[in-house]
Amino acid sequence: MRIFFATDVHGSETCWRKFLNSAKHYKADVIILGGDMTGKALVPIIDDGGGNWHSTLLENREVLRGEEQVTQFEQAVKRRGYYPFRTDPDELAELSRDEDRWHALFDEHMLATVREWMELADERLAGTGIRCVVCPGNDDQLEVDEVVLEAKTVELGEGRVLDLDGYQLVSSGWANRTPWDTYREEDEPQLAERIAKMVDQITNPPERTIFSLHCPPYGTGLDDAPELTAEMDLKNAGHSVKPVGSTAVREAIERFGPALTLHGHIHESRGTKRLGKTLCVNPGSSYEQGQLLGAVIDMENGKQVKKFVLTSG
Amino acid sequence: MTATTSSGEGAGFQERAVFVRKATGLVRGWSVRDAFIYAVFAINLVTLGWSIFDDAPFVPKGALLWSIVISGVYLIFQGITYAGLISAMPRAGGDYVWMSRVLGGGIGFVLAVAGWWFILWYWVPVYAHIFNIEVLAPLSAIAGWHGGPNFWNGSDGIFVASVITALLASLFIALGIRTYGRIQKICFYGGVFGLVVIAIMLLVTSRSGFASDFNHSAAKLFGTSGNAYQATMSSVSKAYTPSSIGGLNLSATLTLIPMMLFFNLWSNWGATLYGEVRGASDFRKNIYAMGGALLATTLVGVIFFLLFAKTFGWNFYNDANAAFWGYGHGPLGSNFPYPALLAAMIFSSPVLQFLLILIMSLWFFGWVGSVFLSSTRVIFATAFDRILPEKVAGVSRTGVPYWALFLMIAPSIGLAALYAYDTKFQSYTLDATLVIAITFLGTTVAAAILPWRKPEIYNASPIAKYKILGLPLITVAAVGFGVILVFALVEWFTNDVYGVNNADSYYLMGGMYVLAFAIYGISQIVRRRQGIDLGMVYGEIPAE
């Protein structure tokens, strides 16, 4: 069985399309998306009432004239992983004042995008025999799961044990605490309990088991993130990194010893690591560039995983 | 939250540029000052600058001051090129990844491992040489170990210092980048304090006062007698006459530039590769950090040249360097006329002399870890791409990359032995710059063609808007940077003055490229036999 694993596409439509095409490209039987599929930013495109639209992307200010330019700009925003929306100065001012309102708008755009993605998956994957598993991550709101469940060709991974050609896959997008107080994070003891509940459901031996846990194991080099100051600036201009992975995840891997574990969460820490016989993989993420970083892994009848390669598609 | 106020065309209302929800990785920003510090350390006026400036007598008509000014200002193109690449491809960045994505995996691997791994083996004895002439030999002399300078300047001394250098660099890597970053900051502020002290001393000391202090201290430290100041100048007067400090012989000065790149080609080491949901400001900040460090270091270099000219005397400073290189038999013999030591000689107290050299040694200790830092990263990246065996990316529980360190230490000690005991190897110092310059040239080509080769990446980046005469700014900057690299390469390969265009030097460098090709070729064969297709690593997935 060949698996293609990618993670942390963060709303990038380009990356999602590449993910759906990855099975054909890499001749994979199963494609797994490891979490954090939704975007981080909502970008207003403002009608000034005089025939021009104004917006700012990546701190570059744009003045757009006509529908064609606006549509092109919206596509650029989507490729970047953000959600564009058209508005006018009055509505924008109201949104800026009302946090609940812009959060609701954010949710609306975010869930609509996930729905579109699921429809695209159904269109592309139906009848291909390719298994597609998606497990939302700590940056994905809980409502995302419901939308994924609506898809016909995409299987939701969160908290479940899925059978994949003789292997069992358990998945969770929950992570240990982050400085951002995200949607699926909890203290290490609770995370350990969550993982233990899933592991208890496994009936396969370890060598026929795969963990897809969004958060990487602590201290493996797969979890090195830039250190932050109290003001949330990058300490030492990003030259200083520290491990931020989960001890609960590490303990679970070391205790159970699955053949393979798949992680994401820390975009900068692309790499692999062996914990005992377990191969741990974090392919990293370059979603902003529309580059789908991933891993192609061949599982061979319960043998130790040796055939794998990190990819940059 | 990020918010901007509209300006320019169409302005007239307050504009919220983006609504950002809570999500991992969203940081407020980073300090240009911190990035500037790392870039200043990488260019390092004291270790790299003051040690290569002593080579100026090889081009007697060259204007040392103008050579660092011209190259320093020109290398702003390098800052823009690298800031552009970081902006277009952050986080995944680095020469290896940039070249691999744009030019192909094979080219990326060969150029990156030659420039960021193999040649760093040779940098170890080069660092050790600097350690000897700027730290160990002066401290030994001041401490009263009169045989010390001869030991450190001799073959055994260079070898021992190389081992110490390799171990120190390994220690810093083992401590982790986080701890090393803190050490670097302490070293930076301490080193700057040392520079300020020296500047004040040179400012308040007259030339005659310095000559007298020099004669007195040289007698105590190196056993000279009589007027050592005058004897230094007399010893080389038949063989060498330096140009004046402000004189500009353009052709000769341009010839000096490939030497000066040993000092000022490294501002990109301070670049910050992180950032999300921001854009153009990070591009500008990286330029400010790298370009600022380049210009600030150049300016400080110029100020110290003027102070040397005022207090040491420009002729004395250059004559002492010429004497060090054997243009005559100077009273200091094989002892390097390290400017900090010359300044320390103004003190009559050995304690103050010792302290000054010790403080200035922070420029070395804050910098020495860099010799293995980039190489361990390249080794990891190539192992993750399955070109190297998986094992070489292994780290201990405490995060020590033991295999990567071994792959650095073992060959570097071997090369250090050659450097120490075969004097030919010591003359290939500029190979260390040349090989990295070739790597930078590869990255520069990747940057220049990025808008056409990877339009989807370029157009999605914040730099896509920056154009000069209709051409992408990154292309213009990369071509500009490429010009100085090609010029330097042509000079290195064709002009004997640099000491690198000879058979042994070619074997040393060529061997590294052959080794890189061999590893790449073997890995392709081995992986294919294992059923792993390395062609998948950089194959682009269609996004339709």
Side-chain angles (χ1 to χ4, degrees):
Chain A
M1 175 177 65
R2 173 168 286 184
I3 294 170
F4 174 72
F5 174 72
T7 184
D8 294 80
V9 296
H10 285 287
S12 163
E13 191 169 308
T14 306
C15 284
W16 177 251
R17 286 174 179 271
K18 285 184 173 183
F19 175 70
L20 295 178
N21 291 335
S22 64
K24 192 175 164 194
H25 187 77
Y26 296 119
K27 299 182 178 62
D29 306 296
V30 180
I31 56 175
I32 301 171
L33 189 72
D36 285 1
M37 58 194 298
T38 53
K40 298 184 179 186
L42 195 59
V43 177
I45 303 171
I46 308 142
D47 181 2
D48 68 5
N52 290 333
W53 295 77
H54 304 261
S55 193
T56 303
L57 181 62
L58 305 171
E59 298 173 333
N60 282 328
R61 192 174 157 68
E62 305 282 350
V63 179
L64 311 162
R65 294 178 185 86
E67 182 60 28
E68 193 182 340
Q69 283 191 9
V70 174
T71 306
Q72 278 177 2
F73 181 77
E74 285 173 332
Q75 291 305 318
V77 173
K78 286 181 183 175
R79 280 196 296 273
R80 191 80 193 180
Y82 309 150
Y83 305 115
F85 73 101
R86 299 187 191 194
T87 186
D88 58 52
D90 294 336
E91 187 193 28
L92 186 65
E94 280 175 37
L95 281 172
S96 298
R97 282 194 296 271
D98 187 345
E99 191 153 340
D100 288 344
R101 200 170 152 198
W102 76 253
H103 272 297
L105 185 69
F106 202 117
D107 292 353
E108 187 186 311
H109 281 271
M110 182 262 295
L111 292 172
T113 302
V114 177
R115 197 162 282 118
E116 280 172 26
W117 284 15
M118 293 304 117
E119 286 165 7
L120 188 66
D122 285 345
E123 195 182 294
R124 296 283 169 90
L125 300 177
T128 61
I130 296 161
R131 299 276 299 269
C132 173
V133 180
V134 165
C135 181
N138 66 303
D139 280 346
D140 298 321
Q141 289 165 238
L142 298 173
E143 295 88 329
V144 171
D145 296 25
E146 302 303 317
V147 182
V148 174
L149 280 169
E150 289 168 16
K152 297 180 185 72
T153 57
V154 180
E155 298 170 70
L156 179 71
E158 179 62 52
R160 304 160 96 190
V161 178
L162 298 176
D163 285 310
L164 299 175
D165 197 18
Y167 286 82
Q168 284 186 318
L169 170 74
V170 293
S171 313
S172 181
W174 285 77
N176 54 343
R177 294 285 177 201
T178 74
W180 294 275
D181 186 26
T182 56
Y183 305 98
R184 299 177 201 231
E185 62 179 56
E186 55 195 347
D187 295 331
E188 291 282 6
Q190 281 72 48
L191 186 57
E193 209 173 304
R194 180 183 298 277
I195 296 168
K197 273 184 195 163
M198 290 192 302
V199 172
D200 285 348
Q201 298 171 51
I202 296 168
T203 53
N204 269 8
E207 63 271 20
R208 285 192 170 273
T209 304
I210 301 165
F211 288 180
S212 172
L213 302 174
H214 183 61
C215 186
Y218 178 82
T220 49
L222 307 180
D223 64 328
D224 283 340
E227 201 176 359
L228 300 177
T229 66
E231 293 78 35
M232 300 293 277
D233 283 330
L234 292 171
K235 212 167 190 176
N236 297 326
H239 288 249
S240 173
V241 295
K242 66 171 188 176
V244 297
S246 162
T247 52
V249 169
R250 180 164 187 147
E251 280 163 18
I253 295 168
E254 288 178 330
R255 197 169 51 247
F256 190 81
L260 171 70
T261 66
L262 305 167
H263 311 279
H265 194 40
I266 309 301
H267 303 182
E268 298 85 359
S269 280
R270 173 178 169 86
T272 60
K273 166 82 178 170
R274 295 267 176 193
L275 287 177
K277 288 184 176 175
T278 303
L279 174 71
C280 309
V281 178
N282 176 1
S285 171
S286 288
Y287 74 92
E288 310 103 308
Q289 304 147 42
Q291 206 80 20
L292 185 67
L293 303 186
V296 176
I297 304 140
D298 288 342
M299 308 299 292
E300 294 178 298
N301 294 322
K303 290 183 193 163
Q304 189 175 7
V305 181
K306 288 197 173 155
K307 284 165 69 173
F308 63 93
V309 67
L310 298 188
T311 58
S312 175
Chain B
M1 301 306 154
T2 308
T4 62
T5 304
S6 66
S7 60
E9 190 184 1
F13 51 85
Q14 287 293 306
E15 174 189 320
R16 175 83 174 256
V18 64
F19 294 85
V20 184
R21 69 181 175 119
K22 57 183 185 181
T24 316
L26 295 179
V27 296
R28 224 167 55 97
W30 48 274
S31 152
V32 172
R33 185 194 60 191
D34 285 351
F36 171 87
I37 288 173
Y38 293 112
V40 166
F41 244 119
I43 303 170
N44 211 320
L45 174 69
V46 175
T47 57
L48 292 169
W50 286 358
S51 68
I52 197 68
F53 297 160
D54 74 338
D55 286 30
F58 289 110
V59 187
K61 291 181 179 168
L64 194 49
L65 184 148
W66 288 114
S67 72
I68 68 163
V69 170
I70 294 168
S71 56
V73 171
Y74 192 86
L75 284 171
I76 294 292
F77 281 127
Q78 179 189 19
I80 300 170
T81 303
Y82 272 81
L85 280 168
I86 292 162
S87 197
M89 291 189 259
R91 295 195 296 202
D95 293 87
Y96 171 59
V97 177
W98 292 325
M99 284 190 285
S100 296
R101 280 194 188 172
V102 180
L103 304 176
I107 294 173
F109 175 81
V110 170
L111 293 182
V113 300
W116 282 129
W117 175 11
F118 298 163
I119 198 63
L120 272 299
W121 297 332
Y122 186 71
W123 272 97
V124 169
V126 172
Y127 272 52
H129 169 69
I130 293 169
F131 189 29
N132 278 352
I133 62 174
E134 295 194 356
V135 183
L136 296 173
L139 288 180
S140 300
I142 295 167
W145 178 22
H146 294 299
N150 280 343
F151 172 76
W152 295 116
N153 292 328
S155 298
D156 291 343
I158 290 176
F159 185 71
V160 170
S162 297
V163 173
I164 297 171
T165 299
L167 292 177
L168 267 176
S170 303
L171 174 69
F172 286 136
I173 300 294
L175 287 173
I177 180 93
R178 195 173 162 199
T179 307
Y180 183 52
R182 287 183 192 139
I183 293 170
Q184 278 195 305
K185 269 197 170 175
I186 294 166
C187 289
F188 175 79
Y189 290 116
V192 168
F193 173 73
L195 278 178
V196 171
V197 169
I198 291 176
I200 293 169
M201 288 169 68
L202 297 186
L203 209 56
V204 300
T205 306
S206 67
R207 191 176 302 175
S208 59
F210 168 75
S212 166
D213 293 336
F214 175 81
N215 290 337
H216 179 72
S217 293
K220 283 201 335 197
L221 299 177
F222 305 113
T224 62
S225 59
N227 190 341
Y229 181 86
Q230 189 55 49
T232 299
M233 293 194 285
S234 306
S235 68
V236 299
S237 60
K238 284 182 186 166
Y240 169 69
T241 306
S243 66
S244 67
I245 185 166
L248 176 59
N249 177 320
L250 190 60
S251 165
T253 302
L254 290 178
T255 306
L256 271 179
I257 285 177
M259 283 181 192
M260 295 306 115
L261 295 184
F262 176 84
F263 148 62
N264 59 12
L265 193 60
W266 322 114
S267 67
N268 51 352
W269 280 57
T272 286
L273 298 172
Y274 302 105
E276 236 182 305
V277 197
R278 291 197 305 278
S281 66
D282 269 22
F283 172 59
R284 289 192 294 268
K285 282 167 78 174
N286 265 319
I287 293 176
Y288 297 153
M290 289 188 276
L294 195 56
L295 294 179
T297 307
T298 302
L299 182 64
V300 174
V302 168
I303 289 169
F304 272 96
F305 279 153
L306 296 173
L307 288 170
F308 295 168
K310 174 205 158 286
T311 308
F312 303 154
W314 190 243
N315 281 359
F316 171 79
Y317 172 64
N318 284 282
D319 288 346
N321 285 329
F324 174 69
W325 282 109
Y327 276 79
H329 298 288
L332 291 188
S334 60
N335 291 294
F336 175 59
Y338 173 39
L341 176 64
L342 298 179
M345 289 164 92
I346 294 170
F347 291 129
S348 54
S349 159
V351 174
L352 291 177
Q353 289 177 340
F354 196 89
L355 282 176
L356 185 61
I357 299 299
L358 208 57
I359 287 171
M360 291 302 288
S361 73
L362 295 175
W363 286 103
F364 177 82
F365 291 113
W367 167 76
V368 66
S370 61
V371 73
F372 286 174
L373 200 58
S374 58
S375 42
T376 49
R377 284 178 179 169
V378 167
I379 290 169
F380 270 52
T382 52
F384 294 147
D385 282 355
R386 307 307 308 277
I387 295 170
L388 294 178
E390 188 189 342
K391 265 193 189 320
V392 304
V395 292
S396 72
R397 255 194 178 275
T398 51
V400 180
Y402 47 88
W403 269 108
L405 282 179
F406 174 77
L407 289 173
M408 287 308 299
I409 292 172
S412 66
I413 296 300
L415 266 182
L418 280 174
Y419 186 96
Y421 298 105
D422 184 342
T423 49
K424 279 188 312 214
F425 273 83
Q426 293 180 26
S427 63
Y428 308 148
T429 298
L430 286 173
D431 281 0
T433 307
L434 191 159
V435 173
I436 300 181
I438 291 174
T439 302
F440 284 179
L441 187 60
T443 303
T444 305
V445 171
I449 64 175
L450 176 73
W452 296 277
R453 184 91 171 145
K454 295 280 176 186
E456 68 290 354
I457 289 178
Y458 173 74
N459 290 326
S461 75
I463 57 165
K465 281 194 79 163
Y466 295 96
K467 294 198 189 309
I468 291 180
L469 300 173
L471 285 169
L473 173 62
I474 191 171
T475 303
V476 175
V479 169
F481 181 39
V483 166
I484 194 171
L485 291 174
V486 169
F487 165 73
L489 287 166
V490 170
E491 282 290 302
W492 281 321
F493 282 121
T494 59
N495 194 333
D496 295 344
V497 76
Y498 308 106
V500 293
N501 63 339
N502 57 71
D504 288 334
S505 165
Y506 290 149
Y507 291 143
L508 176 69
M509 292 187 287
M512 292 178 178
Y513 289 102
V514 169
L515 181 61
F517 272 115
I519 292 174
Y520 190 75
I522 290 167
S523 73
Q524 296 285 323
I525 295 164
V526 170
R527 295 302 186 204
R528 200 172 301 133
R529 281 188 186 158
Q530 292 173 338
I532 298 169
D533 177 10
L534 292 184
M536 286 193 290
V537 174
Y538 287 103
E540 187 97 17
I541 309 171
E544 72 265 12

mmCIF file of all heavy atoms in Angstrom, chain A residues 142-164:
data_model
loop_
_atom_site.group_PDB
_atom_site.id
_atom_site.type_symbol
_atom_site.label_atom_id
_atom_site.label_comp_id
_atom_site.label_asym_id
_atom_site.label_seq_id
_atom_site.Cartn_x
_atom_site.Cartn_y
_atom_site.Cartn_z
ATOM 1 N N LEU A 142 -14.430 22.993 15.149
ATOM 2 C CA LEU A 142 -15.072 21.681 15.245
ATOM 3 C C LEU A 142 -16.134 21.486 14.168
ATOM 4 O O LEU A 142 -16.405 20.362 13.735
ATOM 5 C CB LEU A 142 -15.679 21.494 16.637
ATOM 6 C CG LEU A 142 -14.638 21.518 17.783
ATOM 7 C CD1 LEU A 142 -15.317 21.503 19.136
ATOM 8 C CD2 LEU A 142 -13.681 20.340 17.666
ATOM 9 N N GLU A 143 -16.730 22.585 13.719
ATOM 10 C CA GLU A 143 -17.783 22.504 12.696
ATOM 11 C C GLU A 143 -17.262 21.927 11.381
ATOM 12 O O GLU A 143 -18.044 21.428 10.561
ATOM 13 C CB GLU A 143 -18.369 23.892 12.412
ATOM 14 C CG GLU A 143 -19.095 24.528 13.583
ATOM 15 C CD GLU A 143 -18.164 25.333 14.486
ATOM 16 O OE1 GLU A 143 -16.970 24.981 14.597
ATOM 17 O OE2 GLU A 143 -18.634 26.308 15.085
ATOM 18 N N VAL A 144 -15.972 21.994 11.180
ATOM 19 C CA VAL A 144 -15.387 21.488 9.929
ATOM 20 C C VAL A 144 -15.674 19.992 9.783
ATOM 21 O O VAL A 144 -15.941 19.493 8.683
ATOM 22 C CB VAL A 144 -13.862 21.764 9.896
ATOM 23 C CG1 VAL A 144 -13.189 21.054 8.727
ATOM 24 C CG2 VAL A 144 -13.601 23.263 9.828
ATOM 25 N N ASP A 145 -15.658 19.268 10.906
ATOM 26 C CA ASP A 145 -15.860 17.816 10.860
ATOM 27 C C ASP A 145 -17.195 17.457 10.200
ATOM 28 O O ASP A 145 -17.277 16.507 9.412
ATOM 29 C CB ASP A 145 -15.838 17.220 12.276
ATOM 30 C CG ASP A 145 -14.476 17.394 12.937
ATOM 31 O OD1 ASP A 145 -13.752 18.330 12.560
ATOM 32 O OD2 ASP A 145 -14.134 16.596 13.821
ATOM 33 N N GLU A 146 -18.230 18.246 10.541
ATOM 34 C CA GLU A 146 -19.560 17.970 9.989
ATOM 35 C C GLU A 146 -19.548 18.102 8.471
ATOM 36 O O GLU A 146 -20.181 17.321 7.762
ATOM 37 C CB GLU A 146 -20.601 18.951 10.577
ATOM 38 C CG GLU A 146 -20.706 18.909 12.096
ATOM 39 C CD GLU A 146 -21.043 17.511 12.598
ATOM 40 O OE1 GLU A 146 -21.914 16.864 11.982
ATOM 41 O OE2 GLU A 146 -20.415 17.053 13.580
ATOM 42 N N VAL A 147 -18.846 19.092 7.997
ATOM 43 C CA VAL A 147 -18.791 19.305 6.542
ATOM 44 C C VAL A 147 -18.019 18.170 5.872
ATOM 45 O O VAL A 147 -18.425 17.676 4.812
ATOM 46 C CB VAL A 147 -18.137 20.676 6.216
ATOM 47 C CG1 VAL A 147 -18.124 20.921 4.708
ATOM 48 C CG2 VAL A 147 -18.867 21.801 6.928
ATOM 49 N N VAL A 148 -16.943 17.738 6.498
ATOM 50 C CA VAL A 148 -16.161 16.629 5.922
ATOM 51 C C VAL A 148 -17.026 15.361 5.872
ATOM 52 O O VAL A 148 -16.981 14.604 4.895
ATOM 53 C CB VAL A 148 -14.871 16.382 6.739
ATOM 54 C CG1 VAL A 148 -14.134 15.143 6.221
ATOM 55 C CG2 VAL A 148 -13.954 17.603 6.675
ATOM 56 N N LEU A 149 -17.805 15.168 6.903
ATOM 57 C CA LEU A 149 -18.659 13.969 6.957
ATOM 58 C C LEU A 149 -19.684 13.930 5.831
ATOM 59 O O LEU A 149 -20.165 12.864 5.438
ATOM 60 C CB LEU A 149 -19.386 13.902 8.314
ATOM 61 C CG LEU A 149 -18.550 13.363 9.487
ATOM 62 C CD1 LEU A 149 -19.258 13.590 10.810
ATOM 63 C CD2 LEU A 149 -18.235 11.880 9.300
ATOM 64 N N GLU A 150 -20.034 15.093 5.312
ATOM 65 C CA GLU A 150 -21.019 15.145 4.220
ATOM 66 C C GLU A 150 -20.446 14.599 2.906
ATOM 67 O O GLU A 150 -21.180 14.216 2.006
ATOM 68 C CB GLU A 150 -21.468 16.598 3.982
ATOM 69 C CG GLU A 150 -22.347 17.158 5.096
ATOM 70 C CD GLU A 150 -22.522 18.669 4.967
ATOM 71 O OE1 GLU A 150 -22.228 19.219 3.879
ATOM 72 O OE2 GLU A 150 -22.941 19.293 5.950
ATOM 73 N N ALA A 151 -19.110 14.603 2.793
ATOM 74 C CA ALA A 151 -18.489 14.162 1.537
ATOM 75 C C ALA A 151 -18.639 12.656 1.346
ATOM 76 O O ALA A 151 -18.674 11.897 2.323
ATOM 77 C CB ALA A 151 -17.018 14.546 1.541
ATOM 78 N N LYS A 152 -18.733 12.239 0.094
ATOM 79 C CA LYS A 152 -18.910 10.810 -0.188
ATOM 80 C C LYS A 152 -17.574 10.080 -0.311
ATOM 81 O O LYS A 152 -17.470 8.898 -0.020
ATOM 82 C CB LYS A 152 -19.695 10.646 -1.495
ATOM 83 C CG LYS A 152 -21.106 11.206 -1.440
ATOM 84 C CD LYS A 152 -21.829 10.996 -2.776
ATOM 85 C CE LYS A 152 -23.187 11.669 -2.764
ATOM 86 N NZ LYS A 152 -23.077 13.163 -2.828
ATOM 87 N N THR A 153 -16.556 10.791 -0.784
ATOM 88 C CA THR A 153 -15.281 10.112 -1.048
ATOM 89 C C THR A 153 -14.206 10.440 -0.018
ATOM 90 O O THR A 153 -13.103 9.926 -0.097
ATOM 91 C CB THR A 153 -14.745 10.536 -2.435
ATOM 92 O OG1 THR A 153 -14.633 11.965 -2.439
ATOM 93 C CG2 THR A 153 -15.648 10.082 -3.548
ATOM 94 N N VAL A 154 -14.541 11.307 0.916
ATOM 95 C CA VAL A 154 -13.553 11.696 1.927
ATOM 96 C C VAL A 154 -13.974 11.123 3.269
ATOM 97 O O VAL A 154 -15.139 11.268 3.672
ATOM 98 C CB VAL A 154 -13.438 13.236 2.029
ATOM 99 C CG1 VAL A 154 -12.399 13.636 3.083
ATOM 100 C CG2 VAL A 154 -13.065 13.837 0.678
ATOM 101 N N GLU A 155 -13.040 10.465 3.935
ATOM 102 C CA GLU A 155 -13.346 9.885 5.245
ATOM 103 C C GLU A 155 -12.781 10.774 6.338
ATOM 104 O O GLU A 155 -11.634 11.232 6.246
ATOM 105 C CB GLU A 155 -12.730 8.493 5.342
ATOM 106 C CG GLU A 155 -13.293 7.526 4.309
ATOM 107 C CD GLU A 155 -12.504 6.233 4.248
ATOM 108 O OE1 GLU A 155 -12.573 5.452 5.200
ATOM 109 O OE2 GLU A 155 -11.811 6.017 3.235
ATOM 110 N N LEU A 156 -13.582 10.994 7.355
ATOM 111 C CA LEU A 156 -13.123 11.799 8.487
ATOM 112 C C LEU A 156 -12.283 10.915 9.412
ATOM 113 O O LEU A 156 -12.711 9.826 9.800
ATOM 114 C CB LEU A 156 -14.316 12.370 9.251
ATOM 115 C CG LEU A 156 -13.951 13.209 10.476
ATOM 116 C CD1 LEU A 156 -13.322 14.542 10.061
ATOM 117 C CD2 LEU A 156 -15.169 13.467 11.355
ATOM 118 N N GLY A 157 -11.116 11.406 9.783
ATOM 119 C CA GLY A 157 -10.229 10.594 10.622
ATOM 120 C C GLY A 157 -10.399 10.803 12.110
ATOM 121 O O GLY A 157 -10.177 9.871 12.886
ATOM 122 N N GLU A 158 -10.798 11.972 12.524
ATOM 123 C CA GLU A 158 -10.741 12.360 13.939
ATOM 124 C C GLU A 158 -11.361 11.322 14.888
ATOM 125 O O GLU A 158 -12.541 10.984 14.766
ATOM 126 C CB GLU A 158 -11.443 13.714 14.135
ATOM 127 C CG GLU A 158 -11.465 14.191 15.589
ATOM 128 C CD GLU A 158 -10.081 14.430 16.185
ATOM 129 O OE1 GLU A 158 -9.291 15.158 15.554
ATOM 130 O OE2 GLU A 158 -9.766 13.881 17.253
ATOM 131 N N GLY A 159 -10.527 10.817 15.785
ATOM 132 C CA GLY A 159 -10.991 9.930 16.848
ATOM 133 C C GLY A 159 -11.401 8.546 16.401
ATOM 134 O O GLY A 159 -11.950 7.773 17.198
ATOM 135 N N ARG A 160 -11.142 8.204 15.150
ATOM 136 C CA ARG A 160 -11.652 6.921 14.646
ATOM 137 C C ARG A 160 -10.498 5.970 14.301
ATOM 138 O O ARG A 160 -9.362 6.400 14.096
ATOM 139 C CB ARG A 160 -12.499 7.152 13.391
ATOM 140 C CG ARG A 160 -13.635 8.132 13.646
ATOM 141 C CD ARG A 160 -14.136 8.705 12.347
ATOM 142 N NE ARG A 160 -15.299 7.984 11.859
ATOM 143 C CZ ARG A 160 -15.824 8.148 10.662
ATOM 144 N NH1 ARG A 160 -15.274 8.993 9.814
ATOM 145 N NH2 ARG A 160 -16.884 7.479 10.293
ATOM 146 N N VAL A 161 -10.846 4.703 14.199
ATOM 147 C CA VAL A 161 -9.890 3.706 13.715
ATOM 148 C C VAL A 161 -10.371 3.272 12.335
ATOM 149 O O VAL A 161 -11.467 2.736 12.191
ATOM 150 C CB VAL A 161 -9.821 2.484 14.655
ATOM 151 C CG1 VAL A 161 -8.848 1.446 14.104
ATOM 152 C CG2 VAL A 161 -9.401 2.907 16.057
ATOM 153 N N LEU A 162 -9.587 3.550 11.327
ATOM 154 C CA LEU A 162 -9.977 3.192 9.954
ATOM 155 C C LEU A 162 -9.104 2.043 9.464
ATOM 156 O O LEU A 162 -7.895 2.017 9.720
ATOM 157 C CB LEU A 162 -9.789 4.397 9.021
ATOM 158 C CG LEU A 162 -10.623 5.648 9.312
ATOM 159 C CD1 LEU A 162 -10.225 6.773 8.359
ATOM 160 C CD2 LEU A 162 -12.113 5.350 9.164
ATOM 161 N N ASP A 163 -9.732 1.108 8.779
ATOM 162 C CA ASP A 163 -8.970 0.001 8.186
ATOM 163 C C ASP A 163 -8.508 0.378 6.796
ATOM 164 O O ASP A 163 -9.306 0.795 5.955
ATOM 165 C CB ASP A 163 -9.851 -1.252 8.111
ATOM 166 C CG ASP A 163 -10.011 -1.871 9.488
ATOM 167 O OD1 ASP A 163 -8.990 -2.072 10.169
ATOM 168 O OD2 ASP A 163 -11.180 -2.098 9.900
ATOM 169 N N LEU A 164 -7.213 0.244 6.560
ATOM 170 C CA LEU A 164 -6.636 0.583 5.256
ATOM 171 C C LEU A 164 -5.806 -0.599 4.770
ATOM 172 O O LEU A 164 -4.666 -0.767 5.227
ATOM 173 C CB LEU A 164 -5.717 1.811 5.359
ATOM 174 C CG LEU A 164 -6.289 3.156 5.816
ATOM 175 C CD1 LEU A 164 -5.156 4.153 5.951
ATOM 176 C CD2 LEU A 164 -7.305 3.664 4.816
#
